[in-house]
Amino acid sequence: MTDTAPGRSGTRLPGDAHRLDVTHVAGDVYVVDVRGHRFRVDQPTDAGGTDIAPTPTELFAASLATCVAFYAGRYLLRHGLSREGLAVRAEFAMATDRPARVAAVRLVIVPPPQLPEERRAGLLAVASHCTVHNTLRQPPEIGIDLAS
């Protein structure tokens, strides 16, 4: 649920909430600062941007894909298997109606070539329950406010 009513949204975050800051740079370029890391987002030139960085929507898909890869990698590590060759391919399609949103995401895990057949189902099960995927299955409450 997203609350965009004037004033406070009522969304209360727990004491261990994480923070990141997004700041306008120029045109459609924004910089994201999180835990001492910095990266940019932009829009493609055909959408009015300068295409110097991924779009927020591409980062959304990348977030899901990298989370799946991380969980898959940890599964392999726990079972004494190499992560060499592990990869995740992601594709997404935008909805054709409103509101603007991602309509579908497809992820393909490319397991390491030496992955034993009996570990394939376990790898898929663990990777399919990464934090980002779980969040999409059970969406968080979202509050959007204007600073005073």
Side-chain angles (χ1 to χ4, degrees):
M1 182 185 141
T2 302
D3 184 352
T4 56
R8 300 298 303 163
S9 65
T11 302
R12 299 284 178 232
L13 299 178
D16 62 346
H18 303 268
R19 179 179 170 154
L20 58 84
D21 292 296
V22 178
T23 308
H24 180 254
V25 175
D28 287 333
V29 178
Y30 292 82
V31 67
V32 180
D33 289 294
V34 58
R35 293 186 314 99
H37 303 284
R38 176 174 270 200
F39 59 93
R40 296 179 294 190
V41 297
D42 193 7
Q43 293 294 315
T45 52
D46 63 356
T50 55
D51 202 20
I52 63 169
T55 68
T57 307
E58 290 165 336
L59 290 179
F60 165 75
S63 178
L64 177 58
T66 56
C67 191
V68 165
F70 171 75
Y71 272 61
R74 284 292 173 93
Y75 173 87
L76 295 168
L77 200 59
R78 272 195 313 276
H79 293 283
L81 300 167
S82 173
R83 293 178 280 189
E84 189 70 32
L86 173 64
V88 176
R89 288 192 305 262
E91 297 176 337
F92 66 92
M94 299 301 294
T96 56
D97 60 346
R98 294 287 179 209
R101 67 194 184 284
V102 173
V105 179
R106 180 172 181 260
L107 302 173
V108 177
I109 301 169
V110 180
Q114 74 282 5
L115 181 69
E117 186 63 37
E118 64 271 12
R119 292 285 183 201
R120 292 177 67 85
L123 175 71
L124 182 59
V126 167
S128 297
H129 288 87
C130 78
T131 304
V132 175
H133 192 201
N134 288 342
T135 302
L136 292 171
R137 288 181 180 172
Q138 295 182 13
E141 181 179 334
I142 299 171
I144 301 175
D145 299 315
L146 285 175
S148 359

